[in-house]
């Protein structure tokens, strides 16, 4: 990685600044820490289930090396930065987004490398919720003669690594519900058309969310209407990340479809199918689109395919219990995904699936991208009937962040104060 990123400020960098600002002060320590947090987010994807971490080494007011954790099990951000700095790291300051690790895993402890390199001071944004490291770096580094300041931005770090913090604290799958909607809360016109409701920057943000999550999920209706690929495409990611997209190692999420009645496979792949229309992207083999992951199709246990149905190799069918009225049990889907090694899932639609997640409180994070459009009362809304009697009973988002995506607006928040709970649950030293 070059010592300097592109000079043009991207929307991702602006978002990092907005998330850090409540805990920031007007001094260089916080500016360098923001830079470290930004660098870490350029590494999201293959780091899962590890956190995203960025580091930079500063000496005499100049950045002499940067490091990013890019692949789970490979070199950590601190180690990469120290390797790039070589002997120049002695007497320098190390800024790192997450508390340096102090345990032996697939990589050696970063605290040892920091002390051996002669780093003078370590400044970090947030504590690591992993109990093997949590709040243990400070006493180890202090004993080695290294000054330590942190955590300086604990809530920002919990936001940037929310899936990691959530899993370490609650040991559950992290679910993000992302919806693009009009000012009047509509997802699509009455006939189903929703392209293109939001602008390119918002679409770029959606691709960054795919990059950041292990899996992306839609309902069968979305597959029929939009025929999505559900991949991460560099050109779209660039609309949000900017020129620094070149530093991102693209990773496609696992694609998940909820199809209770097995209707897609029955319609398109059964021997007696007479549909005269192109097959959706879900049926195209992986070799047609290199490096794309498989599709996981969750069907009701009673939704059997007709005998002789041709199921492509790219599709894995997973049967789960299904209520004819309520649909597939979401808790069982989360459980199955977790068993497959998936730690975070992004739910992108459609209307019915969004209503179920909201009515069942089956999400942790909610990202609403609001376009400055009015679609009218006959358009499709995502809001279920919650039968509230008082406003105070409403489903209120916590730790919200509002951010402009050019013409559109992002409002992101959590179903509860998960960051506060995670931070309170960390052991004291």
């Amino acid at each position: 990685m070059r010592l300097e990123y592109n000079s043009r400020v991207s929307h991702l960098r602006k978002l990092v600044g907005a998330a850090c600002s409540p805990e920031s002060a007007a001094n260089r320590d916080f500016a360098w820490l923001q830079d470290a947090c930004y660098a870490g987010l350029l590494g999201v994807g293959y780091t899962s289930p590890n956190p995203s971490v960025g580091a930079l080494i500063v000496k005499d007011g100049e950045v002499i090396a940067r490091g990013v954790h890019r692949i789970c099990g490979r070199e950590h951000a601190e180690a990469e930065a120290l390797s790039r700095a070589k002997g120049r790291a002695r007497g320098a300051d190390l800024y790192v987004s997450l508390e340096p690790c102090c345990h032996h895993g697939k990589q050696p402890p970063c605290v040892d490398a920091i002390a051996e390199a002669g780093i003078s001071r370590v400044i970090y944004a947030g504590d690591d919720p992993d109990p093997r490291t949590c709040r243990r770096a400070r006493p180890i580094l202090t004993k080695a003669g290294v000054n330590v300041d942190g955590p300086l931005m604990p809530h920002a770090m919990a936001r940037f690594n929310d899936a990691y913090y959530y899993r370490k604290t609650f040991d559950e799958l992290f679910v993000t519900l992302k919806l693009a909607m009009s000012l009047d809360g509509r997802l699509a016109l009455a006939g189903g058309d929703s392209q293109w409701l939001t602008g390119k920057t918002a679409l770029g943000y959606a691709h960054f969310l795919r990059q950041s999550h292990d899996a992306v999920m839609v309902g069968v209706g979305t597959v029929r209407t939009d025929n999505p690929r559900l991949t991460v495409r560099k050109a779209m990611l660039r609309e949000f990340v900017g020129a620094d997209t070149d530093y991102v190692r693209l990773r496609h999420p696992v694609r998940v479809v909820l199809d209770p009645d097995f209707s897609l496979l029955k319609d398109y792949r059964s021997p007696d199918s007479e549909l005269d229309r192109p097959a959706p992207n879900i049926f195209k083999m992986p070799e047609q689109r290199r490096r794309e992951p498989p599709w996981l199709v969750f069907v009701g246990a009673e939704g059997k395919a007709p005998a002789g149905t041709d199921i492509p190799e790219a599709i894995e069918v997973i049967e789960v219990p299904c209520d004819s009225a309520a649909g597939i049990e979401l808790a069982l889907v989360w459980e199955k995904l977790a068993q497959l090694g998936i730690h975070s899932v992004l739910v992108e639609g459609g209307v019915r699936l969004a209503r179920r997640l909201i009515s069942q409180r089956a999400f942790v994070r909610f990202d609403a991208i609001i376009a400055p459009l009015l679609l009218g009362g006959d358009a499709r809304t995502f809001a279920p009937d919650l039968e509230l009697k008082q406003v105070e009973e409403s489903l209120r988002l916590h730790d919200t962040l509002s951010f402009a995506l050019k013409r559109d607006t992002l409002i992101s928040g959590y179903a509860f104060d998960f960051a506060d709970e995670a931070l309170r649950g960390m052991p004291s030293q």
Side-chain angles (χ1 to χ4, degrees), residues 5-6 70 89 108 122 187 219 251 319 368 410 419:
Y5 298 120
N6 190 275
R70 295 186 177 279
V122 169
L187 303 185
R251 181 201 65 160
E319 295 183 359
L410 165 68

Side-chain angles (χ1 to χ4, degrees), residues 89-171:
R90 186 162 299 278
D93 295 337
L94 171 67
Y95 293 84
V96 60
S97 57
L98 193 67
E99 173 186 16
C101 69
C102 57
H103 64 275
H104 286 272
K106 294 181 180 179
Q107 294 291 317
C110 287
V111 290
D112 293 348
I114 291 169
E116 291 172 6
I119 290 291
S120 173
R121 187 169 69 119
V122 169
I123 308 94
Y124 70 96
D127 290 316
D128 189 339
D130 188 325
R132 298 172 296 177
T133 284
C134 186
R135 296 178 177 171
R136 297 184 180 186
R138 180 188 295 274
I140 294 173
L141 290 171
T142 301
K143 185 177 181 180
V146 181
N147 294 318
V148 181
D149 290 328
L152 298 188
M153 297 188 296
H155 282 85
M157 196 66 246
R159 177 180 291 277
F160 298 144
N161 276 299
D162 49 14
Y164 174 72
Y165 271 67
Y166 185 79
R167 184 173 61 86
K168 288 296 183 182
T169 304
F170 302 103
D171 193 27

Side-chain angles (χ1 to χ4, degrees), residues 35 37 50 91 111 230 240-241 246 301 305 322 336 349 373 384 425:
D35 196 15
C37 291
N50 281 0
V111 290
L230 303 181
F240 177 70
V241 178
D246 294 336
C322 177
K336 291 285 187 180
L373 305 171

Side-chain angles (χ1 to χ4, degrees), residues 14 16 18 32 37 42 52-53 72 98 108 118 128 134 159 192 223 241 243 282 347 353 359 382:
K14 291 178 182 177
V16 169
W32 294 130
C37 291
L42 296 179
S52 69
V53 183
C72 179
L98 193 67
D128 189 339
C134 186
R159 177 180 291 277
V223 175
V241 178
I282 187 173
V347 180
L353 183 54
S359 63
F382 67 92

Side-chain angles (χ1 to χ4, degrees), residues 346-395:
L346 170 66
V347 180
E348 289 198 0
V351 173
R352 291 182 181 177
L353 183 54
R355 287 174 178 170
R356 290 191 59 204
L357 261 72
I358 294 170
S359 63
Q360 296 179 24
R361 273 66 165 178
F363 65 90
V364 181
R365 173 173 151 189
F366 186 7
D367 280 13
I369 302 176
I370 304 172
L373 305 171
L374 297 173
L375 298 186
D378 60 337
R380 299 182 182 182
T381 179
F382 67 92
D385 293 333
L386 296 180
E387 300 181 354
L388 305 178
K389 292 181 172 52
Q390 295 179 316
V391 173
E392 63 184 21
E393 300 173 356
S394 62
L395 202 169

Side-chain angles (χ1 to χ4, degrees), residues 9 40 43 101 109 168 173 178 186 199 225 227 235 247 318 320 352 356 370 408 423 429:
V9 178
C101 69
K168 288 296 183 182
L173 182 80
K178 190 275 295 182
R186 308 291 166 163
T225 303
N227 190 22
Y247 295 125
I318 302 175
V320 290
R352 291 182 181 177
R356 290 191 59 204
I370 304 172
D408 306 310
L423 296 175
Q429 292 292 331

